[in-house]
Amino acid sequence: MDLSTNWEYVADTVMGGVSRGQATRETVDGRNATRLTGNVSLDNNGGFVQIAFDLAGGDDFDGSAYAGITFDVRGNGATYDLRVRTRALDRPWQSFRTNFEAPAEWTTVCVPFKALVPHRTDATFDPATLRRIGILAVGQEMQADIAVSSIALYR
């Protein structure tokens, strides 16, 4: 299921951090993509820049017929996070997550739901209550540069 979407940009400045970046729509190596660029700083308890989108307008999206998330990325060789939120999570720091590398050539990443690890929650991942998906440069001083040309759920 294709999740073609309008990504939104979010940074740690919402919590007092000083990381800076942007999300742009552009052609990257022949593909239309959303590109996240920026400088991640750990100063002032910060540490992330992100692109994310809400599923079903922020209401529950039933992904129980699917096995995971797949997306095409091209980056700067750094490690990034995929984070997923469900109805069970009510704090902004909670998520189900995994990391992945974004090499300098277009690559398809497939993340099975079972690979998502709960972070700062005791909740169990339930794909029937998907709410939000994000891709982050997080947790270390770095220059973010990652492009996403497609994202979908796979069976």
Side-chain angles (χ1 to χ4, degrees):
M1 163 180 254
D2 182 11
L3 298 174
S4 296
T5 186
N6 291 319
W7 294 89
E8 68 175 302
Y9 169 78
V10 181
D12 58 20
T13 55
V14 299
M15 303 178 314
V18 296
S19 299
R20 298 281 184 254
Q22 65 181 354
T24 54
R25 288 287 301 161
E26 57 187 86
T27 302
V28 178
D29 281 350
R31 295 189 189 190
N32 292 329
T34 298
R35 187 174 186 183
L36 172 66
T37 56
N39 179 34
V40 177
S41 171
L42 301 180
D43 292 345
N44 215 29
N45 294 317
F48 75 89
V49 293
Q50 163 181 217
I51 53 174
F53 64 93
D54 290 326
L55 294 152
D59 293 327
D60 288 357
F61 178 88
D62 187 354
S64 59
Y66 299 91
I69 301 168
T70 184
F71 48 99
D72 291 341
V73 297
R74 180 188 179 282
N76 58 357
T79 299
Y80 294 86
D81 271 20
L82 171 71
R83 297 199 181 170
V84 179
R85 294 184 48 80
T86 67
R87 178 183 347 131
L89 308 178
D90 56 5
R91 304 278 188 237
W93 52 80
Q94 296 175 316
S95 64
F96 298 96
R97 59 177 66 176
T98 193
N99 58 33
F100 64 93
E101 288 186 21
E105 65 278 342
W106 283 108
T107 302
T108 300
V109 176
C110 294
V111 176
F113 288 145
K114 65 183 177 186
L116 297 172
V117 176
H119 178 74
R120 298 180 73 180
T121 181
D122 293 329
T124 301
F125 180 77
D126 180 2
T129 63
L130 296 175
R131 293 257 170 127
R132 186 169 177 86
I133 297 173
I135 292 180
L136 295 83
V138 63
Q140 63 182 336
E141 303 262 343
M142 68 182 288
Q143 290 293 318
D145 190 352
I146 183 171
V148 180
S149 66
S150 68
I151 186 163
L153 299 180
Y154 69 88
R155 294 185 193 271

